[in-house]
Amino acid sequence: MPNRTSDIEQRATLKDIAERVGVHVSTVSRALNTETRSLVADELVQRILEAAEDLNYKPNRVALALRTRASMTVGVILPDIANATFPVLVHAIEATLATRKYSTLVAHAETGYPRKDTPLVDQLAARHIDGVILTTARRHHGIVDYCLKSSVPLVMVSRTEEDPRVSAVINDDIASMALAVRHVVELGHRRIAHLAGPADMSTGAARREGFIAAMREHKLEPSAIVRTKLYTREEGVLGAQEIFTIAPDTTAVITANDFLAVGCLDVIKASGRRCPDDVSVVGHNDMPLVDMIDPPLTTVRINYRQMGTEAALLMLRRLEDPTADAVMMTLRPKLVIRGSTGPAPR
Amino acid sequence: MPNRTSDIEQRATLKDIAERVGVHVSTVSRALNTETRSLVADELVQRILEAAEDLNYKPNRVALALRTRASMTVGVILPDIANATFPVLVHAIEATLATRKYSTLVAHAETGYPRKDTPLVDQLAARHIDGVILTTARRHHGIVDYCLKSSVPLVMVSRTEEDPRVSAVINDDIASMALAVRHVVELGHRRIAHLAGPADMSTGAARREGFIAAMREHKLEPSAIVRTKLYTREEGVLGAQEIFTIAPDTTAVITANDFLAVGCLDVIKASGRRCPDDVSVVGHNDMPLVDMIDPPLTTVRINYRQMGTEAALLMLRRLEDPTADAVMMTLRPKLVIRGSTGPAPR
DNA sequence: TCAGCTGCTACAAACGTTTGCAATACGAAT
DNA sequence: ATTCGTATTGCAAACGTTTGTAGCAGCTGA
């Protein structure tokens, strides 16, 4: 047996093709590139294409990135905490970027807010990232500054930015809350509370406003509005406890997130109430498995697959035409009625 | 206001430092590199370091990749179907790779088995990926051949390979099943069935064997063993139906996966039985939210965070010392007892 | 005094592309 | 016969690094 590395398949380069055809490498480059193919004689193009096929030539993206400063990769920044909705989001992003030969580099936002030296930014810059998709709902972020400053295309998901240069795809949180409120109102509820998300996440703020607006629409006064610090079950427990001490007569609580809803169910159960007989709960996002909990959660569904696809398409649009305007795309949410909501008691 | 692109921060290069210090770029390179720093005069090293600091120099990774053929990126191949366990896995991988300046490129395995032209392999090769972490349990895969052939370090998670050149971190599926079986046996169950995973996934096969071994240990005969085609709730329903037609007197079913367990609960409910009064169910993986379903699922927990970390460490080990042997690391599972298991009826 | 070593630095090639420019050849137009 | 496009190809520089080799001091030792 020969030594271990002897059988490495050496990838063919432009030079290999050039030698085989007996022509200069620049000619090969032009022949292979559809943009410049017209510059070389037809018959020669044929021979070069055949040789490329023979040698199974695949362009070296690293060299290409160095020369053209376009790395054909986009960075996807994920939140520092794992969230069940991200597999499908990332999958959708990666899949649609791959259709145009872009690769997906993932990174997680730094944990904690402390400014840190944002090595993440440097990392992205050092790799000549062509674009960034930000999926962290958390508000201020060094990445944004970096992208704006060096005019790297930026797309945000589930989050907006004032700057007109950034594209975004977001859920229509106003519509979400309108759906949720209308649903419980139609069930006869009048004492309705909101378990809101963190104020420093745009979804938290937007849904809170949406809730208030929807209540006003129905000429109702919220029985309570409580803010949480994180989208977690534990925070949901804390928040729900507060709601039921502030307004014990609440019969419906609309939450900003399924985790919060689950925490809410915990305290409902613990306090001897029953859901949905005594109090109804509606969640938000329709995360996997919330249809299996007890009771199955009524929630507002966000189509994360579509969200990922749209975000990637927005990115591709800007990458392939840098003059393209940034746009904001808002997706329509959908109410999914399950077992956690029912007629108001009495 | 000047034109829009005028204020792009031009990144400093070695040449910039060289000019400022009045020295050749190769000297700067050596001074900045700890390996070769001893070759340049101490006083000069100081001045160069200061200049680098001043100019906020960050090495250009793509140039580096071109020159050294090491891209400082590892590819992570995810399964084509989204799975709730992957956010934490990917997060752990990315975080530990990042500590050594490696980036994480994600890609999804091609959908469906048909051989396809494996553009994924080409994509990875074209980017000079330094290593690959495979998280798809599905058995044969072009990536494996590619990595072996071009001696790209390969680490598998939740999956083994015969070839001694690949490292792996896996769950101890034999131990998992031993825990699960012992638990229900101690509860008095004797008619125990196994709802097995797909045969073409190593977890499916391994857990099935583990179940059989564990049953033999207790000198019990399985009441039924049914294979599913996919780890989905729907397949779980189908499989569970089959179990209860083959062996209606089954009082405990041990599943290879939480989704299957949920499907199993569906048919138990639908058939008028109750869980855990009539039949107990134990899942596998401890996915998020399975503690919230009705009844809360007893399951075997896999520590995915640890799995991701270990996989990344294995990868780093091989990247930083190519002569390092491939190793297999098996993690100990843990039984989490909740509400879906109870004493055997009668 | 000079060969030879040592310590330091510069030069240049290389990694695999793209691309502006020059060079050649050919036919057409003057 | 000269000039001039036009079509095709080659040359070389460039992207930002690393690294083998060469050069040049100054020093040591005979």
Side-chain angles (χ1 to χ4, degrees), chain A residues 42-317:
Chain A
D42 291 350
E43 184 264 354
L44 188 49
V45 167
Q46 274 317 315
R47 280 168 48 217
I48 290 176
L49 288 179
E50 278 168 22
E53 178 75 17
D54 269 16
L55 297 173
N56 189 28
Y57 170 77
K58 296 281 156 31
N60 181 328
R61 296 212 170 280
V62 176
L64 204 154
L66 179 58
R67 171 68 219 223
T68 65
R69 338 187 65 79
S71 61
M72 299 296 283
T73 47
V74 343
V76 175
I77 316 285
L78 299 174
D80 45 351
I81 58 157
N83 186 318
T85 60
F86 287 101
V88 24
L89 193 65
V90 172
H91 190 175
I93 290 175
E94 193 266 345
T96 78
L97 287 179
T99 63
R100 321 291 311 194
K101 305 267 183 236
Y102 279 85
S103 292
T104 306
L105 202 65
V106 304
H108 291 85
E110 279 101 62
T111 42
Y113 327 129
R115 182 81 290 166
K116 279 185 74 173
D117 217 13
T118 53
L120 183 51
V121 169
D122 286 331
Q123 194 193 76
L124 296 182
R127 290 183 185 267
H128 285 178
I129 288 292
D130 293 333
V132 170
I133 297 181
L134 242 195
T135 73
T136 67
R138 185 129 269 142
R139 244 145 181 188
H140 210 61
H141 210 283
I143 296 287
V144 179
D145 297 337
Y146 163 71
C147 290
L148 258 32
K149 188 165 285 177
S150 26
S151 59
V152 169
L154 178 60
V155 172
M156 299 190 163
V157 351
S158 268
R159 193 189 137 180
T160 56
E161 185 79 5
E162 323 70 43
D163 197 295
R165 282 172 295 177
V166 343
S167 290
V169 27
I170 57 170
N171 175 254
D172 188 343
D173 288 324
I174 305 296
S176 282
M177 287 298 126
L179 286 172
V181 169
R182 176 146 60 102
H183 173 55
V184 295
V185 167
E186 284 175 353
L187 286 171
H189 295 270
R190 292 298 175 265
R191 302 292 294 158
I192 306 171
H194 180 45
L195 187 48
D200 60 346
M201 300 204 183
S202 66
T203 54
R207 287 171 198 167
R208 182 173 177 278
E209 286 175 28
F211 173 78
I212 294 173
M215 290 292 279
R216 186 158 31 219
E217 193 75 19
H218 291 280
K219 309 207 187 310
L220 289 175
E221 199 62 31
S223 72
I225 296 183
V226 169
R227 265 212 177 106
T228 57
K229 295 200 192 334
L230 291 170
Y231 281 135
T232 64
R233 183 171 174 179
E234 294 72 25
E235 274 292 315
V237 168
L238 264 45
Q241 284 169 340
E242 193 175 338
I243 284 180
F244 288 114
T245 54
I246 297 178
D249 59 343
T250 295
T251 66
V253 12
I254 291 172
T255 66
N257 170 282
D258 288 338
F259 279 120
L260 297 182
V262 170
C264 187
L265 290 178
D266 287 339
V267 338
I268 289 172
K269 237 172 267 180
S271 71
R273 293 170 231 242
R274 284 165 313 157
C275 174
D277 313 80
D278 300 323
V279 23
S280 289
V281 171
V282 6
H284 202 290
N285 288 18
D286 194 25
M287 296 183 343
L289 284 189
V290 294
D291 55 329
M292 269 307 291
I293 66 179
D294 177 33
L297 193 66
T298 292
T299 188
V300 180
R301 172 178 299 167
I302 293 183
N303 187 339
Y304 284 103
R305 172 164 304 282
Q306 187 190 355
M307 227 168 180
T309 305
E310 299 291 356
L313 289 176
L314 252 42
M315 177 56 73
L316 287 173
R317 203 159 79 109

Side-chain angles (χ1 to χ4, degrees), chain A residues 14 26 29-30 57 63 67:
Chain A
L14 286 188
S26 64
S29 171
R30 282 187 257 260
Y57 170 77
R67 171 68 219 223

Side-chain angles (χ1 to χ4, degrees), chain B residues 14 26 29-30 57 60 67:
Chain B
L14 286 187
S26 63
S29 171
R30 284 188 252 261
Y57 171 77
N60 181 327
R67 171 67 220 222

Side-chain angles (χ1 to χ4, degrees), chain B residues 70-135:
Chain B
S71 60
M72 297 297 282
T73 46
V74 343
V76 174
I77 316 285
L78 300 174
D80 46 351
I81 58 156
N83 186 318
T85 60
F86 287 100
V88 23
L89 193 65
V90 172
H91 190 173
I93 290 175
E94 193 267 346
T96 76
L97 287 178
T99 63
R100 320 291 310 193
K101 306 267 182 235
Y102 279 85
S103 293
T104 306
L105 200 66
V106 303
H108 291 85
E110 278 100 62
T111 42
Y113 328 126
R115 183 81 291 166
K116 279 184 73 174
D117 219 12
T118 53
L120 183 51
V121 169
D122 286 331
Q123 192 193 76
L124 296 182
R127 292 185 183 266
H128 286 178
I129 289 293
D130 292 333
V132 170
I133 297 181
L134 244 194
T135 74

